Amino acid sequence: MQTPDFSLDNKQVIVTGAGQGIGKALALTVVAMGGKVVAVDLNADALGALRAELGEANCVTITGSVADPAVAQAAVDSGVAAFGGVNGLVNNAGVTRTAMIDKMTLESWQTVMDVHLSGSFYFLQALGRHLLARSKAGEKIAGSIVNISSDAGRRGTIGQINYGTAKAGVLGMTMCAAREWGKFNIRCNTVGFGVVETPMTETIRSEKFADMYLAQIPLGRWGAAEEVARPVCFLLSDAASYITGQHLSVNGGYTIGL
């Protein structure tokens, strides 16, 4: 029996929101597992520090907003130029604009939609076009896209209807791409995180809310960026070659069900 390949050798992966938190942990894990990274973020200084840490041979960077379709295409083009191609993507970039439904501004609604939903689509489409062109040219490909969702997209949330709606939309996007592209050996899955120790979750982890959330997590603790990055990288690897269209919750048991 052939040993499963849990490495990311010969994988070139675009990671959005790679400047900090989960995105940075993802970039570090991809390279540690043998892959190459196209790191995308708004923070040029953070990207520069990441590339210095990973080494220029392992990482190229793109500074810009995921809400700009041109940035998505630039990420694919840069990966092709640096590594000869791209075959993986993690749509991880995120923002929050918190308000109760009746008080949410249209600007706050649209900003979150632009980043989480439209931004994920732009990158998915850009990489998909690249992979489809290679497949139709006769190349044997193995593409893997992981869209980052959230428990908020599966069970709702209070004060973040924009975020919850966008993350629910990511689930539908994943299933559509999996159905359309499966015959080309392009897999698409979703990973939904619970409360991970990053700057985006500082409010939830504050003294005011911590006990309430921790009481609902069977493992009894917050997730660490490094440990939630590993399941994503599994889905990028050939060890997950028969998994597509699925939604994996990485949340310490915060949601449990069939």
Side-chain angles (χ1 to χ4, degrees), residues 11-258:
K11 304 296 184 186
Q12 310 89 33
V13 183
I14 297 170
V15 178
T16 67
Q20 66 175 357
I22 296 170
K24 181 178 180 180
L26 282 164
L28 292 171
T29 305
V30 167
V31 172
M33 292 176 65
K36 309 291 187 183
V37 171
V38 180
V40 182
D41 202 278
L42 282 170
N43 188 328
D45 291 338
L47 288 178
L50 177 66
R51 191 177 190 198
E53 183 173 356
L54 293 177
E56 293 186 1
N58 296 317
C59 177
V60 294
T61 63
I62 299 292
T63 303
S65 170
V66 298
D68 181 354
V71 173
Q73 189 59 54
V76 174
D77 292 345
S78 294
V80 171
F83 309 129
V86 182
N87 50 33
L89 165 65
V90 185
N91 272 317
N92 168 75
V95 297
T96 56
R97 297 290 186 272
T98 303
M100 302 303 280
I101 296 170
D102 58 315
K103 294 181 173 62
M104 182 164 290
T105 65
L106 293 180
E107 180 182 8
S108 293
W109 169 269
Q110 196 62 53
T111 296
V112 171
M113 288 294 167
D114 287 346
V115 171
H116 288 277
L117 195 55
S118 295
S120 294
F121 170 72
Y122 298 149
F123 276 77
L124 179 144
Q125 184 185 62
L127 179 60
R129 286 171 170 168
H130 167 69
L131 291 172
L132 288 170
R134 289 168 59 182
S135 178
K136 291 174 182 178
E139 184 178 346
K140 185 178 180 180
I141 64 168
S144 180
I145 296 167
V146 181
N147 295 318
I148 302 303
S149 184
S150 167
D151 290 334
R154 301 192 75 172
R155 57 182 303 217
T157 184
I158 295 174
Q160 291 185 320
I161 191 172
N162 47 4
Y163 184 80
T165 301
K167 288 305 192 182
V170 166
L171 301 179
M173 184 186 306
T174 294
M175 292 184 287
C176 291
R179 290 187 182 277
E180 283 195 26
W181 292 345
K183 62 185 176 183
F184 299 103
N185 203 28
I186 302 170
R187 299 181 294 108
C188 190
N189 295 287
T190 303
V191 173
F193 298 135
V195 183
V196 183
E197 292 180 293
T198 70
M200 279 186 62
T201 65
E202 286 179 353
T203 299
I204 289 174
R205 292 184 290 108
S206 68
E207 185 176 347
K208 181 178 179 180
F209 299 109
D211 289 345
M212 177 182 68
Y213 278 98
L214 284 171
Q216 301 176 67
I217 302 173
L219 289 185
R221 60 179 176 84
W222 314 123
E226 294 76 15
E227 67 181 332
V228 303
R230 293 193 288 267
V232 176
C233 289
F234 161 71
L235 290 172
L236 293 170
S237 78
D238 290 339
S241 59
Y242 200 54
I243 302 175
T244 195
Q246 303 305 304
H247 311 310
L248 175 63
S249 293
V250 181
N251 57 17
Y254 183 60
T255 56
I256 295 178
L258 297 177

